[in-house]
Amino acid sequence: MSVTSGDRMIEIVHSPVKTVLDPFRDERKGIVREVGNQAIWSLSSCKPGFGVDQLRDNCLDTYWQSDGQLPHLVNIQFRRKTTIKEIYIYTDYKLDESYTPNRISIRAGTNFNDLQEIEVVDLKEPVGWVKIPLKDMHDRPIRTFMIQIAVISNHQNGRDTHMRQIKVHSPVDLTGNIMGDFVSVDMLQHTCIR
């Protein structure tokens, strides 16, 4: 699999040893939290029964299917400015073939009128989770009110697209704990003032 991100090129060669990305690993460790449920999601188009609910249902067997002209858009709007570290997108070329995204653009801003492209990712027959780190010019996670995921092209010049899941991760601030780094529930309950 080949992934191009902005001006960086990451080449993942098919090999007998398969690296599997797990978007839940860092969440279980308490390093990030999934903040997609705090946002309002909208799509440029969808077939009936293949919309936002399927994109966010935590089931890899369901998917969003677009129904219109390229680019296909997923809009994620937050009520307040939110720090975003990375986005995970689950696609499966083996199941979806020409419906699989080939080039994805990630845009961020305060609303639809001022979106700026921050990443462009080229995918080559992806199967599984694709991690897209989102960083500003100082190499820090971005802070934004809105993210737009635009499918620019599909494999085999396909018209409509399938995306099976999208996860949006925000970093957990571990520096504000003046009491220490506790891991047990009994000790953690005493580390913050209500």
Side-chain angles (χ1 to χ4, degrees):
M1 178 171 68
S2 172
V3 177
T4 306
S5 177
D7 55 357
R8 302 181 301 264
M9 175 69 174
I10 303 167
E11 184 75 29
I12 301 172
V13 180
H14 293 288
S15 68
V17 178
K18 187 173 181 173
T19 303
V20 178
L21 288 176
D22 180 8
F24 305 105
R25 185 191 67 198
D26 287 347
E27 202 173 339
R28 286 189 298 266
K29 288 181 178 178
I31 298 170
V32 298
R33 60 190 168 99
E34 211 287 325
V35 293
N37 57 352
Q38 298 174 11
I40 298 168
W41 291 67
S42 62
L43 304 168
S44 57
S45 66
C46 69
K47 297 255 187 209
F50 295 92
V52 172
D53 291 340
Q54 288 70 35
L55 195 56
R56 297 287 299 157
D57 65 2
N58 289 322
C59 178
L60 300 178
D61 296 327
T62 61
Y63 51 86
W64 160 53
Q65 181 174 336
S66 62
D67 186 19
Q69 297 297 316
L70 288 166
H72 304 300
L73 308 174
V74 177
N75 303 302
I76 308 166
Q77 294 176 281
F78 296 95
R79 290 182 171 86
R80 59 189 169 105
K81 202 169 200 179
T82 306
T83 303
I84 306 298
K85 180 179 180 185
E86 61 208 9
I87 294 177
Y88 279 89
I89 299 174
Y90 191 91
T91 59
D92 193 335
Y93 180 77
K94 290 178 183 174
L95 294 175
D96 299 327
E97 295 180 350
S98 67
Y99 289 93
T100 308
N102 185 38
R103 175 169 270 202
I104 296 173
S105 168
I106 308 292
R107 305 159 183 169
T110 56
N111 57 48
F112 287 98
N113 298 320
D114 69 351
L115 293 173
Q116 298 289 319
E117 187 172 81
I118 55 173
E119 290 288 341
V120 175
V121 180
D122 290 324
L123 305 172
K124 186 173 192 290
E125 300 180 4
V127 176
W129 291 102
V130 175
K131 178 181 177 180
I132 305 171
L134 301 180
K135 297 186 178 187
D136 64 12
M137 64 173 71
H138 302 292
D139 208 31
R140 294 180 302 214
I142 64 167
R143 288 191 43 78
T144 187
F145 281 100
M146 181 175 179
I147 293 175
Q148 184 178 76
I149 301 170
V151 176
I152 306 300
S153 65
N154 290 318
H155 283 78
Q156 303 170 10
N157 294 320
R159 182 182 142 192
D160 289 327
T161 197
H162 286 181
M163 278 193 200
R164 294 183 172 266
Q165 292 292 300
I166 297 177
K167 300 292 178 196
V168 182
H169 285 171
S170 180
V172 173
D173 184 14
L174 300 173
T175 60
N177 189 354
I178 60 172
M179 300 294 289
D181 295 326
F182 300 110
V183 291
S184 71
V185 174
D186 292 335
M187 294 305 289
L188 283 172
Q189 68 185 355
H190 299 293
T191 60
C192 63
I193 299 171
R194 295 182 197 233

